[in-house]
Amino acid sequence: QSTWGIRMLFKMVGVFWSLLCLFARWLKELLQPARKWVFPSTGVFDTSKMRDFLDADSLEYRAKVREFISTDPLFKLTEEEFHLSLEETRELAMRRLKRFANCGFLKVEDITQNTLRLVAAHELVGPVDCSFTYLVSVHFNLFGGSVLRLGTERHLKLIPSINSVDTVGCFALTELGHGVNSGFFMDTTATYDHATQEFVINTPSVLARKNWISMLADNASVSIVFAQLIINGVSEGLHAFYVPIRDEQGNIMTGVHIQDQGYKFVLNGNDNGRIWFDNVRVPRANLLNRYGDVDEEGKYTSVVEKKRDRFLRAEIGRAS
């Protein structure tokens, strides 16, 4: 017991000594004169060099966008903007998207040709209007990017009208019953009709409805719809389809059902909605067929062997 007591005494002395040293170091720092920042002899801090350092890339492009945003009245934040109605807020965000696109600051091809410019655009427009930023991302990246990266040569003719925002698109993936797991589980179906060379899009239940789809409630005329491709009674896995949902006059197409999800706490310029389908027919060519296709004879082929992997390969391909 005496040996144990001696060891404990030495440990306590060691702890006390460590605490005493820490206190002494703290007291020394406290009593020292305050440190002073040393600036160049000019006394001027070059903010442009700091901005370029933080920007890191696409410096000329960023400068042009900043100049445009700071001088165009449409992008000027005013007190009135905080008191707009839901409809006016949505209209303002959409007008900003069209102005930004028509000035040539962004195009779908940037996804593969100039990815840094795509990223820079999101960084630059974010402080102006977060809803507008969402529209930029959904229209050019999710919608346009799907056409570009999941489609093939026959779909390239669709790109110019997406770049000009004459065709406004959305991205319908998430289902009520599966949420964030919609990429692995999905109930929406696209059944191939060989007699008419068409796919028939159907929503079999309430849980299969696509929810919180950006740009859907008011603006989108076309949607990229993910569904189980069914041919000859067999599901070939998840595929993406280019599905018109409104006509040229803005009327909802027959068999398409859209519900406005209304006012939110934030991002009200982004017109979220839910969508479901009742025997909506689209031509065979509207299948985005980079990783799987159906030929004129009704034969399905895919470069991805496992059905479960087809969606994963499509998403990796769209993002890469």
Side-chain angles (χ1 to χ4, degrees):
Q1 288 183 347
S2 60
T3 304
W4 179 84
I6 293 172
R7 286 205 304 266
M8 288 300 299
L9 179 62
F10 274 107
K11 286 182 180 180
M12 292 177 64
V13 170
V15 171
F16 177 76
W17 179 255
S18 298
L19 292 174
L20 186 63
C21 290
L22 287 174
F23 176 77
R25 185 181 300 175
W26 172 78
L27 188 62
K28 180 180 179 181
E29 290 284 337
L30 183 66
L31 297 177
Q32 282 183 348
R35 292 190 179 95
K36 296 182 179 180
W37 291 100
V38 179
F39 289 95
S41 58
T42 59
V44 177
F45 182 77
D46 193 338
T47 56
S48 64
K49 289 185 178 180
M50 176 60 77
R51 183 192 61 229
D52 291 348
F53 172 77
L54 294 174
D55 284 344
D57 59 69
S58 310
L59 300 184
E60 184 177 348
Y61 172 76
R62 290 172 183 269
K64 290 180 179 179
V65 173
R66 285 193 178 100
E67 176 67 19
F68 168 75
I69 289 175
S70 64
T71 56
D72 191 305
L74 184 61
F75 294 88
K76 183 179 180 181
L77 185 64
T78 63
E79 176 68 25
E80 289 74 17
E81 189 171 330
F82 294 98
H83 304 287
L84 296 177
S85 66
L86 179 62
E87 293 74 18
E88 291 169 333
T89 302
R90 289 177 173 180
E91 181 186 357
L92 176 61
M94 195 63 197
R95 286 173 57 204
R96 284 171 170 167
L97 172 65
K98 291 182 177 180
R99 179 75 63 84
F100 191 76
N102 291 331
C103 287
F105 287 116
L106 197 59
K107 58 183 181 178
V108 174
E109 293 87 345
D110 287 334
I111 292 174
T112 56
Q113 298 174 6
N114 197 338
T115 308
L116 290 177
R117 190 160 97 151
L118 177 69
V119 175
H122 284 73
E123 291 179 4
L124 293 166
V125 302
V128 177
D129 180 353
C130 288
S131 292
F132 160 51
T133 310
Y134 258 79
L135 302 195
V136 168
S137 186
V138 170
H139 180 77
F140 285 100
N141 186 18
L142 293 181
F143 174 64
S146 294
V147 174
L148 179 69
R149 299 294 293 163
L150 301 185
T152 54
E153 188 74 23
R154 73 190 189 200
H155 301 107
L156 294 181
K157 62 184 179 182
L158 303 170
I159 299 297
S161 66
I162 298 175
N163 283 336
S164 63
V165 199
D166 291 325
T167 297
V168 180
C170 62
F171 184 85
L173 171 66
T174 306
E175 293 185 353
L176 178 62
H178 298 301
V180 295
N181 292 319
S182 294
F184 299 97
F185 306 99
M186 188 166 294
D187 298 327
T188 303
T189 59
T191 305
Y192 185 63
D193 184 346
H194 181 57
T196 61
Q197 301 272 301
E198 294 174 317
F199 287 99
V200 185
I201 314 292
N202 269 298
T203 303
S205 69
V206 172
L207 292 178
R209 294 177 179 180
K210 309 286 189 179
N211 271 262
W212 293 109
I213 309 304
S214 297
M215 300 184 72
L216 171 65
D218 289 335
N219 293 308
S221 58
V222 179
S223 178
I224 299 301
V225 177
F226 281 85
Q228 297 279 357
L229 190 160
I230 297 176
I231 186 166
N232 298 323
V234 178
S235 173
E236 296 294 348
L238 272 59
H239 291 68
F241 300 83
Y242 184 91
V243 182
I245 58 176
R246 287 185 172 93
D247 61 22
E248 294 181 356
Q249 288 72 44
N251 302 310
I252 298 174
M253 304 284 276
T254 303
V256 176
H257 305 275
I258 296 175
Q259 186 177 56
D260 192 332
Q261 293 189 274
Y263 183 85
K264 309 183 293 291
F265 284 110
V266 293
L267 303 175
N268 281 294
N270 179 15
D271 52 316
N272 292 100
R274 64 171 55 94
I275 187 169
W276 62 100
F277 306 91
D278 183 14
N279 292 318
V280 174
R281 290 178 172 267
V282 296
R284 179 174 59 86
N286 285 32
L287 167 65
L288 300 182
N289 62 327
R290 182 175 296 271
Y291 300 105
D293 200 5
V294 177
D295 64 20
E296 294 181 357
E297 303 303 319
K299 180 182 178 181
Y300 176 83
T301 56
S302 177
V303 297
V304 183
E305 182 178 354
K306 294 183 179 180
K307 297 179 183 179
R308 181 69 176 271
D309 293 344
R310 287 169 187 164
F311 173 78
L312 295 175
R313 184 67 187 90
E315 280 302 282
I316 292 171
R318 194 191 64 78
S320 61

